Amino acid sequence: MLGTSLLGRLRRRDPGDAILRRAARLTLVASVVFYGCRYGVGSSTLATYGLFGTIAAGSFAQLPGPAPQRARILLLSLPAVWALIAVGSLLAWSTWAAAGGMLVVGFVVAFAGVGNPRLVGLASAFQLFYILASFPPYQPGALPERLGGVTLAVVLLAAAEVFLWPDPVPVSYRQRLAAAADGVASFLDAAAERLTDPPVAAGDRDARRERAYDAVAAIELSRSPPAWAPTAAGAQDRALRICAAALREVLAEADRLAADAPPEPIPDLAAGRLLRSCADTTRAAGRSLLPGATAADPADLDVAVGRAEAAYPVGTGNVRDRPDVPRLCRDATALALADQVRVFAVGCRVATGARLDGGDASSGLFEYARHSPWTLYWWQFRSHLAPRSAHLHSSLRLAVALAIARVAAGVLQLTHGFWVLLATLTVLRTSAADTRTALRPAVLGTIVGAVVSGGVMLVVDEPIVYAIVLPITLLLAFGVGRLLGPVWQQALFTVLLTVVFAQLSPEGWRLAEARLVDVLLGAVIGVLAGVAMWPRGAGHDLRHNGTRYLAASADAVEQTVQALLGAAPPPDRALSRLRRRMVLIDSSYCQYHSERHDPHRQQVNWDAVLSAGHHVVPGAESLLRRNPPGSLAGWPEAAALLRESAGRLRSAYDTLADEVAHGRTSDRAPVSTTCVDQLDRIRPLLGGADSQSVRHLVEVDRWLAGLADSLARIHPPAVGGPTIDGL
């Protein structure tokens, strides 16, 4: 009964058997390598590096993508693994030389993840390879055996990833983005039908809307595991993040347009025709992200936008002759929606590797796509070589902690000193709070494992027994232990190490004692480093960049309004500054997403915060293209209205920035952005104004209302939401 209950518990925690399949692959490869090298070839060095190479690459490395991609990453990482083992072996002659190497290697390996946080999973494995090689005995002549053991392990593990019980390929981010685009396109079709055709069934329209919102919610980075999320600095991953933000804004604009449907359908409404073109472009662009599809071409959308803009000015005389302000509102909303659809379409082209022509990067959001991948990665590295960079802080903290642990293990002449560094690597997190959280299971599990191991070794001293139970302990440590929790995982890993070293260098029950002492020392070093060096973690850096990002957004909005009123030059510098701030907060969020933190303390919906800026940049650029600077000059009543709206919006940005600085966001009342409200706001200003000026006023006021709605949609995430696992 107890066994059935435990099995049911394990199946619930691993419904797809992914963890057990990975544990089975690791167990088989590790057993073949260890038995073949230790008992077949008779080499303890080959066996040690083969076994730990399997554990490092198969358990400590958290690799992204499907099985063939993981196998390719493992094989491509071999030159770096050889270099780390060679450097560690050559520096093992001196404690201080090894510690200096640990300082450099620890920092470089950790900081390299800034270019692609998905590959941060390799960092712990790389550090483990150096750690293992940097301890005595100093035997440069044994380097070929060390490299041979690791190479054998990595090659066999890569083959096992592909051919042995491969994991089912989960739905990729591109597939979810394509599904979201399809759902949004379906809702756009329904909104177009509501504007121009006999009303569609309200239930069908509401169902399409709900499906669209569910699909768009699924593309938030917070719902994607770090190994699959598009968080790299490269052009394609960055384009996917822009696409997600644009799609959220497309859905919001479509919602506004659906709410603005006229009482009676208008068969030849320009907004309806443009909406249908937007639906077709959104659907085609989303499907272009799927394997084997062709790149999307936004040319048809550009034609539809041109036609809508040509039909946009209604009348040329006094507004009293043709006061069709509601239609102007709908047209303005449709054009704003088309702007975001075009951003989405161009982003999909960049994400699929298609080349951009001169007009595709006109918004400035995709200007980076004209640069080489190495240039983009260099920009990413350079942006984090700054005093406030959380990634710089965490890399330095880890490197210093590992170097101190290496010195302590060498000075104290610990027999298995690499366990000290392994414990430090396991306990140390990006913040002091997370480090304390990881400490308890590490220490408690090690105590339990040491007690069990010591008791077994007092009774059993025959190496053949430990050779027989090795596969069982491997499966328990990396399968069952991982499913039962950190304490069990640490305890079973301690038992595994005892079983391994009982065959390599039998020491009796003192091996368990050495393991306990080493882990306690490493845990203390990790905790002290976590408390003493930048204890607040990546969230602090993200909040700082978020505050500056929101301030830059507010500045860009204000200067855009001033330019349209003829009171300031075009806001080119403000928009450029906002784009730079956008890159910084985007980079910080990608790093934050890749790290481990308590979901109960996540109080900011960062996906929504980032989307707010993506609404500002293309919206301001398109607004200035259709409404040149100074287009509302000489209309004091309109200037007063727009300055008032911009002032309220600035206050909203400031309030949100203050909340973000303190790591929280509050619920906000919804902002009404319907054309009826728009008409009520501007009706007192219409006397004597020509229709062209009214058109400019409507579009600017509509843009400001849309920005206010974007801010109002930023709510705190649900407490206890999906956990983001890191290293």
Side-chain angles (χ1 to χ4, degrees):
M1 191 71 176
L2 179 60
T4 304
S5 175
L6 178 61
L7 182 60
R9 181 182 175 188
L10 295 179
R11 294 300 298 270
R12 286 192 299 272
R13 293 193 176 190
D14 188 25
D17 296 330
I19 293 177
L20 291 180
R21 271 198 302 269
R22 180 172 294 184
R25 288 195 298 268
L26 190 151
T27 297
L28 183 59
V29 172
S31 300
V32 168
V33 170
F34 186 81
Y35 289 149
C37 295
R38 178 68 181 89
Y39 299 106
V41 180
S43 172
S44 295
T45 300
L46 272 176
T48 300
Y49 279 82
L51 179 66
F52 278 94
T54 306
I55 293 175
S59 179
F60 282 83
Q62 305 294 321
L63 300 178
Q69 180 178 336
R70 294 199 302 271
R72 185 167 58 251
I73 292 174
L74 285 173
L75 295 177
L76 291 176
S77 69
L78 271 175
V81 171
W82 295 333
L84 290 169
I85 292 177
V87 171
S89 299
L90 296 177
L91 295 178
W93 65 274
S94 165
T95 294
W96 294 102
M102 186 74 260
L103 185 66
V104 175
V105 168
F107 175 79
V108 171
V109 168
F111 193 73
V114 74
N116 189 346
R118 284 177 297 173
L119 297 183
V120 169
L122 281 173
S124 294
F126 281 172
Q127 287 156 346
L128 188 59
F129 286 125
Y130 174 84
I131 289 169
L132 183 64
S134 70
F135 277 91
Y138 173 63
Q139 295 176 336
L143 183 58
E145 282 188 288
R146 294 180 174 186
L147 297 180
V150 168
T151 302
L152 177 63
V154 170
V155 170
L156 289 180
L157 191 61
E161 286 281 353
V162 177
F163 299 110
L164 291 180
W165 314 295
D167 297 334
V169 179
V171 178
S172 69
Y173 189 86
R174 290 171 181 260
Q175 290 173 311
R176 282 189 284 143
L177 193 58
D182 203 55
V184 170
S186 178
F187 181 53
L188 291 178
D189 285 331
E193 293 169 6
R194 177 70 178 86
L195 288 175
T196 61
D197 296 333
V200 296
D204 178 62
R205 187 173 63 250
D206 292 342
R208 293 194 201 184
R209 179 181 182 274
E210 185 176 352
R211 287 195 297 269
Y213 270 98
D214 289 342
V216 169
I219 62 176
E220 294 181 359
L221 283 189
S222 58
R223 298 196 178 192
S224 302
W228 289 86
T231 53
Q236 295 189 10
D237 274 19
R238 190 178 293 184
L240 289 174
R241 298 194 295 271
I242 293 177
C243 284
L247 207 55
R248 282 189 285 270
E249 292 306 319
V250 170
L251 182 56
E253 296 286 3
D255 225 356
R256 297 185 193 109
L257 200 55
D260 285 339
E264 296 295 332
I266 304 175
D268 193 33
L269 189 64
R273 296 195 303 272
L274 179 56
L275 207 56
R276 288 191 176 89
S277 180
C278 287
D280 293 340
T281 301
T282 301
R283 188 178 289 109
R287 291 175 181 175
S288 71
L289 296 172
L290 300 176
T294 57
D297 187 356
D300 292 340
L301 176 64
D302 292 339
V303 171
V305 169
R307 291 173 178 169
E309 289 178 340
Y312 192 17
V314 183
T316 57
N318 191 286
V319 76
R320 292 175 180 172
D321 297 333
R322 306 183 70 177
D324 201 352
V325 177
R327 177 175 176 178
L328 287 175
C329 290
R330 289 189 291 269
D331 288 351
T333 305
L335 288 169
L337 186 150
D339 292 336
Q340 294 293 339
V341 169
R342 195 176 199 287
V343 168
F344 177 72
V346 175
C348 289
R349 288 177 59 81
V350 176
T352 55
R355 295 182 62 86
L356 300 183
D357 57 34
D360 282 338
S362 59
S363 74
L365 285 176
F366 298 101
E367 183 61 32
Y368 70 87
R370 302 188 182 282
H371 300 277
S372 70
W374 292 110
T375 300
L376 297 179
Y377 280 109
W378 167 243
W379 286 352
Q380 189 90 329
F381 287 122
R382 188 177 59 186
S383 68
H384 281 278
L385 287 172
R388 299 190 67 95
S389 169
H391 201 101
L392 178 67
H393 295 170
S394 62
S395 300
L396 286 172
R397 178 173 52 242
L398 180 62
V400 170
L402 291 176
I404 292 174
R406 180 62 184 88
V407 170
V411 170
L412 297 177
Q413 297 183 348
L414 300 177
T415 306
H416 300 283
F418 70 92
W419 286 347
V420 178
L421 281 80
L422 182 58
T424 302
L425 194 63
T426 302
V427 168
L428 192 59
R429 294 287 187 263
T430 58
S431 69
D434 291 338
T435 298
R436 289 193 299 269
T437 301
L439 175 65
R440 180 178 174 273
V443 173
L444 183 58
T446 301
I447 292 174
V448 173
V451 170
V452 173
S453 301
V456 170
M457 298 193 79
L458 283 173
V459 178
V460 180
D461 59 357
E462 293 293 332
I464 187 62
V465 175
Y466 297 103
I468 293 173
V469 301
L470 176 62
I472 299 175
T473 54
L474 281 165
L475 191 60
L476 289 175
F478 298 111
V480 176
R482 190 172 179 187
L483 291 173
L484 292 178
V487 175
W488 281 92
Q489 187 176 7
Q490 192 65 234
L492 291 171
F493 186 63
T494 299
V495 173
L496 169 63
L497 291 178
T498 302
V499 169
V500 170
F501 281 94
Q503 301 173 68
L504 294 174
S505 55
E507 300 176 26
W509 63 270
R510 292 192 176 279
L511 183 64
E513 178 189 34
R515 165 74 178 163
L516 179 58
V517 171
D518 291 347
V519 168
L520 290 177
L521 177 58
V524 168
I525 293 173
V527 169
L528 291 177
V531 171
M533 301 176 66
W534 302 292
R536 288 181 288 186
H540 176 68
D541 181 60
L542 179 57
R543 291 193 297 271
H544 170 74
N545 283 331
T547 301
R548 300 175 69 190
Y549 169 73
L550 291 170
S553 298
D555 290 341
V557 171
E558 279 192 335
Q559 293 189 34
T560 299
V561 171
Q562 292 296 331
L564 291 167
L565 296 176
D572 297 335
R573 295 181 62 183
L575 291 174
S576 296
R577 184 165 59 250
L578 176 55
R579 292 188 203 101
R580 291 195 298 270
R581 295 282 185 263
M582 193 181 297
V583 171
L584 287 176
I585 189 175
D586 180 67
S587 175
S588 296
Y589 180 47
C590 289
Q591 173 60 26
Y592 176 81
H593 175 70
S594 71
E595 297 174 347
R596 179 178 179 176
H597 36 262
D598 185 355
H600 295 279
R601 289 188 281 118
Q602 296 177 27
Q603 299 296 327
V604 176
N605 187 341
W606 290 110
D607 288 286
V609 171
L610 267 68
S611 292
H614 284 285
H615 194 171
V616 172
V617 173
E621 291 167 339
S622 297
L623 192 71
L624 291 167
R625 178 174 53 82
R626 288 191 292 266
N627 307 272
S631 57
L632 288 172
W635 192 358
E637 295 83 3
L641 175 70
L642 295 179
R643 287 194 176 104
E644 179 188 358
S645 298
R648 286 199 302 268
L649 193 57
R650 176 76 198 220
S651 178
Y653 274 110
D654 290 342
T655 299
L656 180 60
D658 182 66
E659 293 176 355
V660 166
H662 291 86
R664 67 178 191 279
T665 51
S666 59
D667 286 311
R668 287 169 169 76
V671 176
S672 178
T673 58
T674 64
C675 284
V676 174
D677 295 332
Q678 193 100 1
L679 180 59
D680 290 340
R681 280 171 48 80
I682 68 173
R683 193 191 306 274
L685 310 180
L686 300 184
D690 62 85
S691 61
Q692 190 76 3
S693 297
V694 173
R695 192 203 80 170
H696 294 318
L697 174 60
V698 168
E699 186 166 4
V700 178
D701 196 52
R702 192 74 172 145
W703 178 62
L704 295 176
L707 292 176
D709 182 55
S710 294
L711 295 182
R713 286 186 281 114
I714 299 176
H715 299 289
V719 175
T723 302
I724 300 174
D725 293 324
L727 288 178

mmCIF file of all heavy atoms in Angstrom, residues 314-324 686 689 691:
data_model
loop_
_atom_site.group_PDB
_atom_site.id
_atom_site.type_symbol
_atom_site.label_atom_id
_atom_site.label_comp_id
_atom_site.label_asym_id
_atom_site.label_seq_id
_atom_site.Cartn_x
_atom_site.Cartn_y
_atom_site.Cartn_z
ATOM 1 N N VAL A 314 -12.241 62.915 -43.274
ATOM 2 C CA VAL A 314 -13.648 62.919 -43.672
ATOM 3 C C VAL A 314 -14.078 64.351 -43.903
ATOM 4 O O VAL A 314 -14.261 65.126 -42.975
ATOM 5 C CB VAL A 314 -14.534 62.264 -42.598
ATOM 6 C CG1 VAL A 314 -15.976 62.221 -43.052
ATOM 7 C CG2 VAL A 314 -14.027 60.874 -42.301
ATOM 8 N N GLY A 315 -14.206 64.759 -45.156
ATOM 9 C CA GLY A 315 -14.632 66.118 -45.457
ATOM 10 C C GLY A 315 -13.490 67.091 -45.400
ATOM 11 O O GLY A 315 -12.425 66.823 -44.853
ATOM 12 N N THR A 316 -13.679 68.253 -45.949
ATOM 13 C CA THR A 316 -12.653 69.282 -45.947
ATOM 14 C C THR A 316 -13.168 70.610 -45.428
ATOM 15 O O THR A 316 -12.390 71.535 -45.229
ATOM 16 C CB THR A 316 -12.135 69.493 -47.385
ATOM 17 O OG1 THR A 316 -13.252 69.840 -48.224
ATOM 18 C CG2 THR A 316 -11.487 68.229 -47.922
ATOM 19 N N GLY A 317 -14.433 70.693 -45.175
ATOM 20 C CA GLY A 317 -14.972 71.966 -44.712
ATOM 21 C C GLY A 317 -15.116 72.009 -43.216
ATOM 22 O O GLY A 317 -14.427 71.327 -42.477
ATOM 23 N N ASN A 318 -16.036 72.816 -42.763
ATOM 24 C CA ASN A 318 -16.282 72.959 -41.340
ATOM 25 C C ASN A 318 -16.796 71.644 -40.767
ATOM 26 O O ASN A 318 -17.579 70.929 -41.395
ATOM 27 C CB ASN A 318 -17.320 74.063 -41.105
ATOM 28 C CG ASN A 318 -17.408 74.443 -39.633
ATOM 29 O OD1 ASN A 318 -17.943 73.701 -38.844
ATOM 30 N ND2 ASN A 318 -16.871 75.621 -39.316
ATOM 31 N N VAL A 319 -16.350 71.312 -39.560
ATOM 32 C CA VAL A 319 -16.733 70.047 -38.955
ATOM 33 C C VAL A 319 -18.230 69.946 -38.739
ATOM 34 O O VAL A 319 -18.786 68.871 -38.624
ATOM 35 C CB VAL A 319 -15.958 69.847 -37.631
ATOM 36 C CG1 VAL A 319 -16.551 70.708 -36.530
ATOM 37 C CG2 VAL A 319 -15.997 68.381 -37.215
ATOM 38 N N ARG A 320 -18.921 71.109 -38.709
ATOM 39 C CA ARG A 320 -20.363 71.061 -38.537
ATOM 40 C C ARG A 320 -21.058 70.428 -39.739
ATOM 41 O O ARG A 320 -22.169 69.928 -39.638
ATOM 42 C CB ARG A 320 -20.900 72.477 -38.328
ATOM 43 C CG ARG A 320 -20.453 73.091 -36.987
ATOM 44 C CD ARG A 320 -20.919 74.527 -36.890
ATOM 45 N NE ARG A 320 -20.507 75.122 -35.628
ATOM 46 C CZ ARG A 320 -20.645 76.409 -35.346
ATOM 47 N NH1 ARG A 320 -21.190 77.224 -36.253
ATOM 48 N NH2 ARG A 320 -20.255 76.875 -34.187
ATOM 49 N N ASP A 321 -20.388 70.505 -40.918
ATOM 50 C CA ASP A 321 -20.990 69.920 -42.110
ATOM 51 C C ASP A 321 -21.032 68.398 -42.017
ATOM 52 O O ASP A 321 -22.001 67.783 -42.428
ATOM 53 C CB ASP A 321 -20.211 70.343 -43.356
ATOM 54 C CG ASP A 321 -20.269 71.861 -43.561
ATOM 55 O OD1 ASP A 321 -21.261 72.468 -43.105
ATOM 56 O OD2 ASP A 321 -19.312 72.394 -44.147
ATOM 57 N N ARG A 322 -19.960 67.803 -41.519
ATOM 58 C CA ARG A 322 -19.889 66.335 -41.450
ATOM 59 C C ARG A 322 -19.217 65.937 -40.139
ATOM 60 O O ARG A 322 -18.066 65.525 -40.132
ATOM 61 C CB ARG A 322 -19.122 65.790 -42.651
ATOM 62 C CG ARG A 322 -19.671 66.270 -43.994
ATOM 63 C CD ARG A 322 -18.931 65.663 -45.147
ATOM 64 N NE ARG A 322 -19.233 64.228 -45.259
ATOM 65 C CZ ARG A 322 -18.756 63.468 -46.242
ATOM 66 N NH1 ARG A 322 -17.982 63.973 -47.161
ATOM 67 N NH2 ARG A 322 -19.070 62.190 -46.303
ATOM 68 N N PRO A 323 -19.896 66.052 -39.032
ATOM 69 C CA PRO A 323 -19.290 65.765 -37.723
ATOM 70 C C PRO A 323 -19.243 64.264 -37.428
ATOM 71 O O PRO A 323 -19.982 63.763 -36.573
ATOM 72 C CB PRO A 323 -20.205 66.501 -36.759
ATOM 73 C CG PRO A 323 -21.544 66.463 -37.413
ATOM 74 C CD PRO A 323 -21.291 66.489 -38.894
ATOM 75 N N ASP A 324 -18.427 63.523 -38.182
ATOM 76 C CA ASP A 324 -18.372 62.068 -38.002
ATOM 77 C C ASP A 324 -17.177 61.693 -37.120
ATOM 78 O O ASP A 324 -16.302 60.926 -37.528
ATOM 79 C CB ASP A 324 -18.272 61.384 -39.362
ATOM 80 C CG ASP A 324 -18.731 59.926 -39.294
ATOM 81 O OD1 ASP A 324 -18.960 59.454 -38.168
ATOM 82 O OD2 ASP A 324 -18.842 59.291 -40.349
ATOM 83 N N LEU A 686 -15.212 71.546 -30.986
ATOM 84 C CA LEU A 686 -15.389 71.351 -32.424
ATOM 85 C C LEU A 686 -15.889 72.577 -33.172
ATOM 86 O O LEU A 686 -15.813 72.608 -34.393
ATOM 87 C CB LEU A 686 -16.351 70.181 -32.670
ATOM 88 C CG LEU A 686 -15.904 68.827 -32.093
ATOM 89 C CD1 LEU A 686 -16.884 67.742 -32.488
ATOM 90 C CD2 LEU A 686 -14.504 68.470 -32.543
ATOM 91 N N ALA A 689 -13.673 74.409 -36.032
ATOM 92 C CA ALA A 689 -12.449 73.682 -36.405
ATOM 93 C C ALA A 689 -12.667 72.927 -37.709
ATOM 94 O O ALA A 689 -13.746 72.377 -37.954
ATOM 95 C CB ALA A 689 -12.058 72.715 -35.302
ATOM 96 N N SER A 691 -12.044 69.825 -40.448
ATOM 97 C CA SER A 691 -12.045 68.377 -40.221
ATOM 98 C C SER A 691 -10.638 67.806 -40.125
ATOM 99 O O SER A 691 -10.412 66.819 -39.430
ATOM 100 C CB SER A 691 -12.818 67.677 -41.333
ATOM 101 O OG SER A 691 -12.203 67.916 -42.588
#
